[in-house]
Amino acid sequence: MVSHIRAVPLEKAYRLLNHGPTVLVSARHGGVQDVMAAAWACALDYDPPKLTVVLDSATRTRSLAEEAGVFVIQVPTAAQALLTHAVGTTSLHDDPDKLRNAGVKLFDMPDYDLPLVTGCSAWLACRLISEPSIESRYDLFIGEVFAAWADDRVFRDGHWMFETADPALRSLHYVAGGHFYAIGDAIDVSSR
Amino acid sequence: MVSHIRAVPLEKAYRLLNHGPTVLVSARHGGVQDVMAAAWACALDYDPPKLTVVLDSATRTRSLAEEAGVFVIQVPTAAQALLTHAVGTTSLHDDPDKLRNAGVKLFDMPDYDLPLVTGCSAWLACRLISEPSIESRYDLFIGEVFAAWADDRVFRDGHWMFETADPALRSLHYVAGGHFYAIGDAIDVSSR
């Protein structure tokens, strides 16, 4: 799988989130690492690319991201629906084996001290931009993307290829109660 | 179409946005009304429901929302891809007939002075929560949802019904360059 990972130019990084997928948030600090699911993540700017993500104060991932000052937003695939639901409904506070029990395997990109989730379709390495007021009042965090990668079987040359890639690589879009939708058919209006 | 519109309980309103659709933002003030497309809109809280939306300072919709203090976030359908792209690529500043040329028809809900876009699948009436610091630095706006409605052919009893509804009612998820995806197949992990 790692052989399919390619760097994404920063000016195209917003496209990894533009279609509104549910994401996984991961962070590592002091030898502890955690992964959570977040449906409330969104692009915020193009250049430099920024994003917003809502991180509940009860999550260990949030405190790890605050301590480390960096975190990863990654786009899970349809094949990872069960994993995504599992990391979104259990806490490292309650289950020290959360990641193993959820089937999460982490890997590092060379030169980056960040926990990336194996099997996702895209990864955005983010630096936390400190905004204490909105963090405390809304649990709303802003990250600046300083590196991005994608699986070139489903995102290449700056474009998602959901219409031709393996359906198992489609992005997930969570509603509630364990109910997701995969992304669907392409609709192109540019040539009309 | 109006006969299919039903109120959505506020505690379920986040579900209208949870799967990350591209939305239309509309606002009216002093006899002027405008509609724009926004891929960067996201749920922020459950109760009371809140959302974030990025509104570029060049848009007339933003200034109307600021003047009125209220705006509408609505979920366009696959059948409205061309309309969505049109209102996202033209400005009322340049074309006073923007809405007519884009094929936008507006309607009002009784007792609400808000411009709603006909043919969408869901509408969230929002009160602007003033956050001048993030508005000016990030173009990031926070809205509190005070009323919500949905087309009961595709959202009812608190659930999207994309898997059984007319595919023309599926939500749109924009990437770039006139390229959208419609929402796709359901994936349910709750009973596993």
Side-chain angles (χ1 to χ4, degrees), chain B residues 31-103:
Chain B
V32 180
Q33 46 199 13
D34 196 11
V35 180
M36 61 176 273
W40 299 354
C42 192
L44 175 66
D45 208 349
Y46 296 104
D47 186 21
K50 297 189 194 76
L51 55 82
T52 56
V53 61
V54 178
L55 302 174
D56 190 278
S57 59
T59 65
R60 189 75 177 95
T61 306
R62 168 169 163 172
S63 54
L64 292 171
E66 291 177 313
E67 289 157 1
V70 290
F71 60 98
V72 182
I73 296 285
Q74 46 240 304
V75 181
T77 69
Q80 293 176 305
L82 204 57
L83 178 159
T84 301
H85 193 247
V87 297
T89 52
T90 56
S91 172
L92 193 65
H93 291 305
D94 303 323
D95 178 5
D97 281 333
K98 169 185 171 178
L99 297 188
R100 192 165 57 88
N101 290 335

Side-chain angles (χ1 to χ4, degrees), chain B residues 1 9 17 19 22 35 58 105 129 135 142 162-163 167 188:
Chain B
M1 205 280 299
L17 293 182
H19 65 302
T22 293
V35 180
K105 289 181 183 169
I129 298 183
E135 291 166 10
I142 295 179
F162 294 122
E163 52 271 58
D188 207 311

Side-chain angles (χ1 to χ4, degrees), chain A residues 98-118:
Chain A
K98 168 185 171 177
L99 297 188
R100 193 165 58 87
N101 289 336
V104 172
K105 291 181 183 168
L106 298 170
F107 70 103
D108 280 38
M109 288 296 287
D111 306 324
Y112 293 90
D113 181 18
L114 292 165
L116 278 68
V117 178
T118 302

Side-chain angles (χ1 to χ4, degrees), chain A residues 12-109:
Chain A
K12 300 284 174 64
Y14 78 94
R15 296 186 181 182
L16 301 172
L17 293 182
N18 215 68
H19 66 302
T22 294
V23 302
L24 302 179
V25 189
S26 59
R28 172 196 291 162
H29 185 71
V32 180
Q33 44 199 12
D34 196 11
V35 180
M36 62 177 272
W40 299 355
C42 192
L44 176 66
D45 207 349
Y46 296 104
D47 185 22
K50 296 190 195 76
L51 55 79
T52 55
V53 60
V54 178
L55 302 174
D56 190 279
S57 60
T59 66
R60 189 74 177 94
T61 306
R62 168 169 164 172
S63 55
L64 292 170
E66 290 178 313
E67 288 158 1
V70 289
F71 60 97
V72 182
I73 297 285
Q74 45 239 304
V75 181
T77 68
Q80 293 176 304
L82 205 55
L83 178 158
T84 301
H85 193 247
V87 298
T89 51
T90 55
S91 172
L92 193 66
H93 290 304
D94 303 323
D95 178 6
D97 281 333
K98 168 185 171 177
L99 297 188
R100 193 165 58 87
N101 289 336
V104 172
K105 291 181 183 168
L106 298 170
F107 70 103
D108 280 38
M109 288 296 287

Side-chain angles (χ1 to χ4, degrees), chain A residues 130-146:
Chain A
S130 178
E131 290 286 356
S133 171
I134 59 171
E135 291 166 10
S136 62
R137 286 182 297 135
Y138 300 113
D139 296 334
L140 182 62
F141 290 76
I142 294 179
E144 181 177 321
V145 182
F146 61 90

